[in-house]
Amino acid sequence: MNAPIPAHTLPPEDLPKDLPKTVTTGPVTGSVKAYAAPRERPDLRVPYREIALTDPGEAPVRVYDPSGPYTETDARIDLSAGLPEIRAGWLAARGYGAVAPRAVKPEDNGFVAEDRLVAPCPATRTVRRGAPGQLVTQYEFARAGIVTEEMIYVAHRENLCREAMLAQAEGKIADGESFGAAIPPFITPEFVRDEVARGRAIIPANINHTEVEPMAIGRNFLVKINANIGNSAVTSSAAEEVEKMVWAIRWGADTVMDLSTGRNIHNIRGWILRNAPVPIGTVPIYQALEKVGGDPLKLDWEVFKDTLIEQAEQGVDYFTIHAGVRLAHVPLTARRVTGIVSRGGSIMARWCLAGHRESFLYERFEEICDICRAYDVSFSLGDGLRPGSIADANDAAQFAELETLGELTKVAWGKGCQVMIEGPGHVPMHKIKVNMDKQLAECGEAPFYTLGPLTTDVAPGYDHITSGIGAAMIGWFGTAMLCYVTPKEHLGLPNRDDVKTGVVTYKIAAHAADLAKGHPAAQIRDDALSRARFDFRWEDQFNLSLDPDTARAYHDETLPKDAHKVAHFCSMCGPKFCSMKITQDLRADVLAMEAASAVVGEATSLDEAARAAGMAQKSAEFLGEGGRLYVDAG
Amino acid sequence: MNAPIPAHTLPPEDLPKDLPKTVTTGPVTGSVKAYAAPRERPDLRVPYREIALTDPGEAPVRVYDPSGPYTETDARIDLSAGLPEIRAGWLAARGYGAVAPRAVKPEDNGFVAEDRLVAPCPATRTVRRGAPGQLVTQYEFARAGIVTEEMIYVAHRENLCREAMLAQAEGKIADGESFGAAIPPFITPEFVRDEVARGRAIIPANINHTEVEPMAIGRNFLVKINANIGNSAVTSSAAEEVEKMVWAIRWGADTVMDLSTGRNIHNIRGWILRNAPVPIGTVPIYQALEKVGGDPLKLDWEVFKDTLIEQAEQGVDYFTIHAGVRLAHVPLTARRVTGIVSRGGSIMARWCLAGHRESFLYERFEEICDICRAYDVSFSLGDGLRPGSIADANDAAQFAELETLGELTKVAWGKGCQVMIEGPGHVPMHKIKVNMDKQLAECGEAPFYTLGPLTTDVAPGYDHITSGIGAAMIGWFGTAMLCYVTPKEHLGLPNRDDVKTGVVTYKIAAHAADLAKGHPAAQIRDDALSRARFDFRWEDQFNLSLDPDTARAYHDETLPKDAHKVAHFCSMCGPKFCSMKITQDLRADVLAMEAASAVVGEATSLDEAARAAGMAQKSAEFLGEGGRLYVDAG
């Protein structure tokens, strides 16, 4: 996928100077990080974020939280020690052998000079590798009918105490169109197992990433989002690189792809993984290309295989592998408006064409599977031929590759691996759904993971929006994870604000998709915020929003005083023209009329009758008019 | 519609201090404002914006331009004189009588104190009123089979020299899904007439707004957008208010609604209209309410009628009239999460319920039609009961009102008036299309004009995005005009940056909709930009974008040097990892292979054969391998 932060090829003077020196910690404004355990496993600590509301009649709202321990109230973070190894015990019980890690080679860090080397993360971990015949991947366990700790964790995490929320919503049935997805009202560990066994969901969790908080990607779970990060040329501390990940997950990124290239990438990846509570994805061909001096024609299986093992031992949770770019597909791109826009795709196309040979990724795919299986690295089968413009959407090259990815999905499943499929890109609205339908059909419902898609090419500088539109739609249609796009896409390197804007925009797309799919309880948060809005509970409105700080800051630009936080109006209309204020008065009148009807014998509930009891005067007035609900207009 | 800028009820210290003192003039970066005349009427000057490209092989791209004379290269603007009366001659030929204008009353300007009165615009105009039996409205002319100058102007404006562009696209047939819309490859004046006669399009153009550049709103034309403006409490000059309109149309607003309330609104409206090249819409009930001291219960037909005439004489092009809020609908809103969120809707609901009487807007609707017809003020039938939250979308109240609006549409047509219909609001994705389908069915295909809709309520501060998603979708489904939402929606007063962000976001939504509908030539701009991107023509990429200044600024943040504007890479990947660079090399190879095939007897065109001639060496290499397009991988 694209939109990384790296810029190792740029002279330092061209780079932004505001890189952070520490990582961001502390709660998201207006909420508390908390943990809960499922009944069957009281030892698990499953994270969520809880937003307490100022109205005592309103239950706190629980929201999904990928931000890790960084948002705890008294977060104590020691990057050198790494995060707690929450999976160590589970994995130990599965009996994988500790292996001597592959020795780090100079090319792993891009042949960096000794004086510019970023020291490796001191948090050393046991390196595990599954043996042939052992169950290793979540897919293998699921196929064997076994529920893992990861599955129990995921089930509880996705439910977000949904029982309580559904009760609060008075048993409201999910209202949506899910296009054939089968979202249950309640997620059980067995449901997670079955979805993984069918290949419809993955739990990216390398057995060497003991720090990861398990999560699921699949269309019967909440729609997830990914943010991309990458190293910069002026890295002076590992904290700067870890901070990019911490900042992205703070705002809601569910996974992070490290698209670094150049110097120090092995060691920086180590710092990131040891401190990452979310799955980390990479594109190994990038590092492999660096190792051969940047010339695609010098790539070969040996250097690629060595890179896979290097990264798998470090704990990378999913690999983008562009094995669908076959020699026969390359000529299909020749007359495109924007050719091949995937870096991995263009590298492999060049490799294939230069030697008139089939892709080694395709030919060695079973061997790649064997490596991935041994560590439970999930596949993210790359769409190297995705369209890079509206003009190229849904063309022969794109769909030929997708068919190949379908073929490879079955190979990977046969080898016991977890698989998701990457998708476009740039697609006008009327061509989006066929992408989803074809992906489901070709790839046996393996999770789809799309970049946007951008729905028009005319707005560089606003491509988080052009793509947010497409992302919301394809998420609704069934895409399981959306790769974010920042406002700087196609133009430059995203800074902190851009990353936040990209993540929040994609949280909007994912949530809008969950709502439209009828995901149970997705509407709980919308409704809580809407009630807060109607009641003029400004603090609750801010705190329930995806970005409380910005909501509050915007409000305070025109109404900064504390008194305005409880004011029964806002700056848009002022108190006199406030429709909500008028409506509140109105509501009392209407309910009084209804209650009056109840008094005169049309009560439909005790509740209405009770209201009626308190509204004697209104009722009397009303009854004085003959008890008719409507009277003739004068 | 909501999201205005007004804040007359706020103390001055709470208001932003950065109000402009002049209006913005000069071309949008990288383009030239130009005019062209249709063959049949060489006297008409129809505006467009032309973007010249740096590649001599690329034709300039013409784009639709509502910005008026303000973006001319040497714009000479005199706000006191107003814009040229381009319609004066056309209207004179139609023979409307000049009427003595209604005298301005103290309440028209909100009883402002003499020392705070904004002087009226000195540009005095003849006030016209059509007589009974005269053809006045565009609808009446169209029904009579007459093509007006406005229709000829609109046809040429919509075509944007489409002949030339279609030729450039090699006759490419529009590729889209328009859901039953009937978009022709080329717009003729007769087509415009027929669409207006069927009620499927309107040309909002009050006979007292002689300065307006005619435009069409209808689903077989380009999707339009509206921006809202309004006065502020600290107005110190009319220029400040005019500038809000000028700024919005500069970035692409096709119409502007003036939602002002409070002091000086009559005089400020005059300044806006005399200087507005776009149709201006208002919500007359706001001013009527001011005239009765802000108490809805004091509203009556006389004050409302007087306000309609006041505004019609000034030249307002369309009125939002909330005549669909009937007494019987009010109780349907009582259990909503957010009640009634339309200001006009809540005012009328209160009026109806307090007196248990039918809406005077509904009961007097035929009289309102008579007034609108006499000046050709178009109806924008307000959705006073639109949902204000996801929870309330598509409920009984909303759809009951829509059915009433359908009934009123036919009444208005019967009276010779032009009509469009306002729509929601807050609607999750899966409930959007039924809104469009029901509107088309109930309202006889009258143009739909929607606010968003917002697809989730959880992102205050980002509601341009939550609503941009819904706007793009409903635009695709058939909505003719999209009312913008700014990032400050629900929170505060939009500033200049917010207005620009809202307009650009809605231009994205409208353009994405045009693309998906298969609007002929909509893709021209996308393709031109995509080619510029692939060719590393950075200047062209900036200039073709909806916001050239932001695109350039973002690029320059990381690659500020002029040399980088022609660099064959960008900051995202750097030169070594550039997929586009790799692809360009690749393309040469593929084309060489194809050419070689041509040499050995498979030529499909002279073009290919010609390429082959220049590629002797590549061909020789290829033929040395036996002329097979693919060779076995080694």
Side-chain angles (χ1 to χ4, degrees), chain B residues 458-477:
Chain B
V458 300
Y462 299 79
D463 278 333
H464 59 307
I465 300 177
T466 63
S467 69
I469 294 166
M473 292 175 70
I474 205 162
W476 173 29
F477 298 151

Side-chain angles (χ1 to χ4, degrees), chain A residues 175 331 335-336 340 356 358 431 456-458 462 488 526 530 546-547 557 583 587 594 630-631 633, chain B residues 175 331 335-336 340 356 358 431 456-458 462 488 526 530 546-547 557 583 587 594 630-631 633:
Chain A
D175 162 12
R335 288 195 165 73
R336 279 181 158 185
I340 300 173
H356 289 281
E358 187 56 277
K431 294 186 178 174
T456 170
D457 292 331
V458 300
Y462 298 80
K488 292 278 170 62
D526 291 74
S530 298
L546 291 178
D547 177 2
E557 269 183 41
T583 305
R587 174 175 293 190
E594 289 189 3
Y630 309 115
V631 299
Chain B
D175 162 14
R335 288 197 164 72
R336 279 181 157 184
I340 300 174
H356 288 283
E358 186 56 277
K431 293 186 178 174
T456 170
D457 292 329
V458 300
Y462 299 79
K488 292 277 170 62
D526 291 74
S530 297
L546 291 179
D547 177 2
E557 268 184 43
T583 306
R587 174 176 294 190
E594 288 189 5
Y630 309 115
V631 299

Side-chain angles (χ1 to χ4, degrees), chain A residues 156-167:
Chain A
H156 199 63
R157 191 173 196 182
E158 290 273 335
N159 277 324
L160 284 170
C161 306
R162 201 182 287 169
E163 315 91 302
M165 291 196 290
L166 285 175

